[in-house]
Amino acid sequence: MDIKDMEEQSSYIRKNIAPSEPMLRTSRQSTYHWLYTHLFASPINALITLLLATLIIYIAKHLGKWVVLDAIWEGKDRTVCATKIQGGIQNNDWSGACWAFVKANYTQIIYGFYPPEHRWRVNLTGIIAITVNITFLMPSIPYKFINGFISLIIIPIFSWYLLHGGYLSLPLIDTQLWGGLMVTLTIAYISISISFIIGTLLALGRRSQISILRLLCILFIETLRGIPLVSILFIASIMFPLFIPHEITFDKLLRALIGIAIFTSVYIAEAIRGGLQAIPKSQYEAATSLGLKYTTIMCLIILPQAYRLVIPAIINILIGMLKETSLIYIVSMFDLLGMIRITSIQANWITPQTPATAFVTVAFVYWVLCFMMSRYAYFIEKRINLFKQPMIRSKNR
Amino acid sequence: MKGIKENSRIHAINIINVNKWLGKMHILRNMDFSVKFQERVALIGPSGSGKSTLLRCINALETFQKGKIIIEGTELNNTPKTIHLIRRRIGMVFQKFNLFPHLTVLENCTLAPIWVKKMNKKKAEEEAFFYLEKVKISDQATKYPIQLSGGQQQRVAIARSLCMKPRMMLFDEPTSALDPEMIQEILDLIMDLTKNGMTIICVTHKMSFARQLAHRIAFMDEGQILEENASDRFFSNPQHERTQIFLRKML
Amino acid sequence: MSIYYRTSQYLKKRIFFFLEKINIRSLLLQLGIFFLFGFFVSWIIHNTIINLTQLRITSGLGFLKMRAGISIPDSFIPYSEDSSYTLALISGLLNTILMSVFCIFTSSILGLTIAFSRLSQNWLLQKLCMIYVEIFRNLPPLLIILFLYFGILQEILPPVQKSLSLPFHIYINQRGIYCPALHFQKIWLWSSSIICLSGFFIIRRIKNPFNQYILLLHLMISLAFIVWLFYHDTFLELPKLETFNITGGRNISLEFLALFLSLSLYTSALISETIRTGIEGVNNSLKETGLSLGLAPGLVMRLITMPLALRIIIPPLTSQYVNLIKNTSLGIAIGYSELMRISNTVLNQTNQSLAVVIIWMGSYLSLSLIVSTVMNWLNKTTLRGHGH
């Protein structure tokens, strides 16, 4: 075939431009097609689908029975949730969740042994913290600096004094009496603010020009990163009193709280350091060339940018911390997990079903809290990526 | 309409009434296009006109919703077997080189022959050296892509495609990520390699290159081919209004 | 020009340069921080000494030789209540290591499986794995451990008299799993560790890091298999079911089981997320290039995507592993005899808090260090062709 010949015939012009058409709903988009491609694309796939479907039905059936159908909703003590052999009223092959237990003890699970007539203080703290933080967490609301100051510094101090009392007309309520969800959230919240501040300082220290400071920060961070939180809690509860003059006594809960906060701050420091490293050097140079001082550069130019980059990472660390507050149960303090554990083994409620019910309840609370936080982190990450795109593009060029 | 009626024996690639939507965007609209054996075609047109998408559809990297693509008599459908068959026949060179960063230049070239053609390592390396020699880069064989310049990387990418001994080559803007002084080098190389009669479709923004390389030029806009003609006539006497505007801007 | 002159000029220059570099202000700052830190440390030491003398505790390492009297049901080494504190602590450390190795192994395999399942075409499998991951990574590990131990295992498993008996002389009851014990001579232990080491050196020569990773897992399996083979021709001890007890055989305690299962489940959810984000983080165009060269999707995954994804995966994976090792300390909540529980008992018995804390720190830090070193070594091979 001669190429020249082909060229002769190949002239072509399109006169009328084809318009943009809406997509036709062909067989490729039908339900059948979806089922085929997503579930039964190959024999192995079909087999997996069938096996999984059986598994799901099996689990759902049993779980549904346990959680809803066979569950006990009302009752005064253990007899409603125990079988006849165990001294209760249920048939011997009965098995179901004992929601009556949760219903009877929920105030204790939330407030611990906080005196009922003072529970308004807990509620008030919760309401204030939530209202202030909603405005802080919504990205579209300005004044983040002032908001952050209120959220991270004023609220923790305020809530500690409101909850602990001991001044004005508020009677002192010892932390021995605190417990349940309230302790979990208080520890988590106050630890966040402390660890955020210490973490920033550690991150700056690790990147500082002063070598001895840098060395100390590296040593501190790397040591704490290598040991478990349980050991830090033990140090806080056993060793800490040895370190300070014996005239000074420190609250037990506060010690655990500081332990958790310091432990978290190390991870936050690493996250912030990542953010600081991601800020291009030109930013430092530009700020220095304007004649600004180190503190000004850091507070006004570098840190705000770095924080914005590492918010998702920090929230993920905080999720981890919220999960780890449960460890104070090991040093015999009663947060949500510990409180429900001791309520579930008290004499008038102990049955074979109570522990499982109790743990499912706690799991649900933790799960909702952590899931909400991780969704928020995801939302922020998407927002940040929206801003970040042009920056990266210009860097590549 | 041409293409449908013509005998598929003389056509390396036959694209019949292909439509592609991405979400609500109609990217390829009733596309009819064919390329004969040993023919070199340049696709030009403004960005976003669907040129690259067309190439990627031919190589089954993207699916289309309606129409047919027939490559050397084999209709492209979604079965892994056909896709595999077609990809083995077609080599593709990308705008951003896409060399595998964890492999050396030589390993980049021998990867596909060893794993797809089940060639033994020694033979694959011999062949790779032959093609690396051809693109004049055999002295860099043990280096990693990151150690090479853009032009060198693109030469390796071309050699890598050639190692599979494809019957057709698709070039997706092979020079647009390169420094200006590198461009001529790559163009010369492509011209040199394709003298022996390989079927080629090349998407490019370099008009001079399109003129030198291609027997035929196709101008695409809004997901369709507006004009196609032999390369000298296309440039000397563009017919369509939009082609004229485009060429005026480019030249 | 005399040598003397040149030297003096040189010295002058050097000294000037030195002074300029040091910067008096930063020197003062450094000294200040140093003294502040020194003061702080000496204050703490001072307080500690006063407090210790008041509590009449003599510090020192002498207590390590005393009789421990701690019972360790699932000790890995010969240990009795009459053994010394040192032996008790070593036994605890070994249990921690054992638990970590088991969990790292299981959670890696489980995590890898889940990550691939989430990337599979099967919609049901995808969603189910997503639910699994979302459930487990949003729960505190301690809760999972307690749930599994108190909520499930202790309630559903039968008492000893009604043990479930499975094939191969395996019995399950509230005290855990009883299975035939492996009794092999020490020489097999040595030879298998030599095989393991030599395998390690073979692995080093493989270039593809993903293959390397897979091979490492293979090696562990084959090692277990080899040990099992040897156990056949040495001697085995079957557990015997008696009326109130089970004698003989190896007992895998319920605490071990609960801790092992829950940490594996929890960590596998985190690991699968790490692996998935790593795989998704590989540039899509590189996958497409692989496809356009004619490589099948499976091969693209093995030859291109995974080696590149490992670069992203390994650093966070290392910290997952370190976290896992640290989380084994949660065994204290259900009474599994790992390092934290034993050293805490030691602390309560002897009040030697300082020594015990140093032992904690030393052990956990060195374990973390070992893991990071191994992972860094693995990372080095994945970083081929990455920035020179």
Side-chain angles (χ1 to χ4, degrees), chain B residues 143-203:
Chain B
K143 286 193 177 172
Y144 284 99
I146 201 162
Q147 295 164 293
L148 303 180
S149 71
Q152 288 173 320
Q153 287 196 35
Q154 191 61 300
R155 281 191 274 164
V156 174
I158 293 170
R160 178 175 67 179
S161 300
L162 291 175
C163 279
M164 284 299 283
K165 301 209 180 73
R167 283 193 264 180
M168 300 169 214
M169 288 282 277
L170 309 176
F171 289 93
D172 188 0
E173 304 189 22
T175 56
S176 44
L178 294 177
D179 294 335
E181 67 266 25
M182 298 281 186
I183 293 176
Q184 196 53 44
E185 187 187 335
I186 293 295
L187 296 185
D188 290 344
L189 179 68
I190 294 173
M191 293 288 294
D192 186 44
L193 290 173
T194 53
K195 270 187 298 197
N196 54 356
M198 194 185 261
T199 314
I200 282 179
I201 304 182
C202 178
V203 170

Side-chain angles (χ1 to χ4, degrees), chain C residues 130-336:
Chain C
M130 192 192 85
I131 292 172
Y132 172 89
V133 171
E134 286 300 334
I135 286 179
F136 279 104
R137 70 176 191 157
N138 285 325
L139 289 180
L142 180 64
L143 172 67
I144 303 175
I145 293 167
L146 293 180
F147 194 173
L148 209 63
Y149 185 71
F150 291 114
I152 297 179
L153 290 180
Q154 272 202 347
E155 299 299 340
I156 65 164
L157 289 181
V160 183
Q161 300 94 304
K162 294 178 191 168
S163 294
L164 279 173
S165 58
L166 297 178
F168 304 112
H169 296 275
I170 297 171
Y171 299 98
I172 301 177
N173 58 41
Q174 279 184 344
R175 290 191 204 157
I177 296 179
Y178 287 83
C179 58
L182 323 162
H183 288 283
F184 46 86
Q185 283 141 349
K186 285 242 166 67
I187 184 150
W188 298 133
L189 201 68
W190 289 116
S191 55
S192 50
S193 27
I194 288 166
I195 293 170
C196 188
L197 268 179
S198 52
F200 199 64
F201 283 107
I202 294 169
I203 289 177
R204 282 191 74 153
R205 307 185 53 163
I206 295 167
K207 276 187 166 180
N208 184 331
F210 180 60
N211 287 351
Q212 216 169 39
Y213 188 65
I214 290 293
L215 232 135
L216 205 70
L217 295 181
H218 271 296
L219 200 75
M220 287 167 98
I221 294 174
S222 45
L223 193 72
F225 185 68
I226 289 166
V227 170
W228 180 77
L229 271 184
F230 287 144
Y231 128 77
H232 256 291
D233 61 43
T234 53
F235 103 93
L236 78 161
E237 188 194 354
L238 296 175
K240 231 186 268 160
L241 186 62
E242 290 164 7
T243 32
F244 293 107
N245 208 353
I246 289 178
T247 52
R250 174 139 195 98
N251 174 22
I252 301 167
S253 68
L254 203 61
E255 290 80 30
F256 179 91
L257 220 61
L259 190 63
F260 165 66
L261 282 177
S262 37
L263 285 185
S264 301
L265 291 176
Y266 175 72
T267 316
S268 70
L270 298 180
I271 286 181
S272 84
E273 273 304 275
T274 312
I275 293 176
R276 190 179 65 94
T277 37
I279 291 174
E280 282 177 352
V282 174
N283 197 340
N284 216 15
S285 59
L286 287 176
K287 297 179 202 168
E288 282 179 350
T289 313
L291 288 176
S292 80
L293 281 173
L295 294 168
L299 276 180
V300 172
M301 180 59 100
R302 218 175 96 197
L303 299 174
I304 296 160
T305 317
M306 270 326 268
L308 290 171
L310 277 187
R311 293 178 178 181
I312 314 173
I313 291 170
I314 286 183
L317 191 64
T318 312
S319 61
Q320 306 284 13
Y321 285 163
V322 170
N323 278 343
L324 178 59
I325 291 175
K326 292 195 282 176
N327 277 342
T328 56
S329 64
L330 298 181
I332 192 174
I334 53 172
Y336 174 67

Side-chain angles (χ1 to χ4, degrees), chain B residues 119-134:
Chain B
M119 208 180 264
N120 74 37
K121 200 179 167 194
K122 215 168 180 186
K123 191 150 177 280
E125 278 179 0
E126 266 169 35
E127 278 191 9
F129 263 113
F130 172 74
Y131 286 109
L132 287 174
E133 201 76 57
K134 248 186 162 180

Side-chain angles (χ1 to χ4, degrees), chain A residues 34 37-39 41 44-46 48-49 52-53 55-56 209-213 216 222-231 234-235 238-239 241-246 248 263 267 319 322-324 326-327 329-330 337 341 351-353 355-356 359-360 362-364 366-367 370-371 374-375, chain C residues 26 29-31 33-34 37 43-45 47-52 54-55 57 120-126 128 134-143 146-148 150-152 155 266 270 319 322-323 325-327 329-330 332-333 340 344 347-348 353-354 357 360-362 364-365 368:
Chain A
W34 186 91
T37 51
H38 289 77
L39 295 175
I44 297 172
N45 255 324
I48 292 173
T49 306
L52 288 180
L55 185 75
I56 291 172
Q209 304 282 326
I210 306 161
S211 47
I212 187 158
L213 188 64
L216 286 176
E222 294 304 328
T223 313
L224 282 196
R225 258 155 54 101
I227 55 178
L229 177 59
V230 185
S231 67
F234 275 125
I235 293 172
I238 299 166
M239 294 284 286
L242 291 180
F243 289 155
I244 51 171
H246 64 279
I248 307 171
F263 184 73
Y267 289 86
I319 292 174
L322 180 68
K323 292 193 281 187
E324 295 207 309
S326 59
L327 298 197
Y329 163 62
I330 292 175
L337 183 62
R341 177 84 193 121
T351 69
Q353 305 296 337
F359 289 128
V360 168
V362 187
F364 179 73
Y366 273 111
W367 192 84
C370 294
F371 187 71
S374 70
R375 285 285 99 181
Chain C
S26 102
L29 211 62
Q30 306 231 20
L31 278 176
I33 291 167
F34 182 75
F37 181 71
W43 182 69
I44 283 180
I45 291 174
N47 285 334
T48 315
I49 290 170
I50 288 179
N51 285 325
L52 284 178
Q54 275 187 347
L55 293 167
I57 299 166
S120 87
Q121 290 188 328
N122 193 313
W123 180 83
L124 202 60
L125 188 63
Q126 253 181 46
L128 214 62
E134 286 300 334
I135 286 179
F136 279 104
R137 70 176 191 157
N138 285 325
L139 289 180
L142 180 64
L143 172 67
L146 293 180
F147 194 173
L148 209 63
F150 291 114
I152 297 179
E155 299 299 340
Y266 175 72
L270 298 180
S319 61
V322 170
N323 278 343
I325 291 175
K326 292 195 282 176
N327 277 342
S329 64
L330 298 181
I332 192 174
M340 188 57 82
N344 192 40
L347 198 156
N348 285 339
S353 39
L354 217 58
V357 165
W360 274 341
M361 287 205 176
Y364 283 106
L365 278 180
S368 313

